[in-house]
Amino acid sequence: QVQLVESGGGLVQAGGSLRLSCAASGSIFRLNVMGWYRQAPGKQRELVAVINSGASTNYADSVKGRFTISRDGAKNTVYLQMNSLKPEDTAVYYCNAVHSTWSASGSYWGQGTQVTVSS
């Protein structure tokens, strides 16, 4: 079992920055893709950014050039640096990790952290 704990959310003015962290713990064998998703009120959860074990990244068009995802393999932690924040970035941000062993794989979610951007 893998547990994900997010931190770093909060309230920020438009144009500001926040850095989210997500630490994985538990019986970790191999973390493959790790990423961030977000869900705004009344909307579906959407991909923000993902990074694989080879450090290849993929971003939603709406955050390209403003957000940067990175990971520290030794710490089993993924980060999301968010710059030039906009009110439309307001959402609950969820960390996701795809974990695999020799015989199985699974997708795990954190509890979410609120990001609120005021205009």
Side-chain angles (χ1 to χ4, degrees):
Q1 193 76 329
V2 176
Q3 294 83 41
L4 302 176
V5 178
E6 301 114 330
S7 61
L11 173 65
V12 64
Q13 289 188 330
S17 298
L18 283 174
R19 188 190 195 210
L20 305 183
S21 299
C22 171
S25 62
S27 301
I28 295 174
F29 184 79
R30 178 181 172 85
L31 292 170
N32 299 312
V33 178
M34 299 185 74
W36 292 93
Y37 293 72
R38 67 186 181 187
Q39 188 167 19
K43 295 188 177 181
Q44 289 189 331
R45 190 172 298 187
E46 63 177 3
L47 180 146
V48 176
V50 292
I51 183 168
N52 66 17
S53 56
S56 294
T57 60
N58 189 37
Y59 294 91
D61 287 342
S62 59
V63 307
K64 283 181 181 177
R66 300 188 297 123
F67 291 11
T68 302
I69 189 170
S70 61
R71 65 190 286 177
D72 184 329
K75 296 181 179 179
N76 294 320
T77 299
V78 63
Y79 305 96
L80 185 68
Q81 178 67 42
M82 305 185 293
N83 298 328
S84 302
L85 283 160
K86 304 176 181 180
E88 50 264 43
D89 294 317
T90 296
V92 178
Y93 283 69
Y94 296 92
C95 177
N96 175 264
V98 177
H99 175 261
S100 62
T101 65
W102 291 112
S103 58
S105 64
S107 178
Y108 296 87
W109 292 92
Q111 81 286 354
T113 185
Q114 178 71 45
V115 172
T116 303
V117 184
S118 63
S119 57

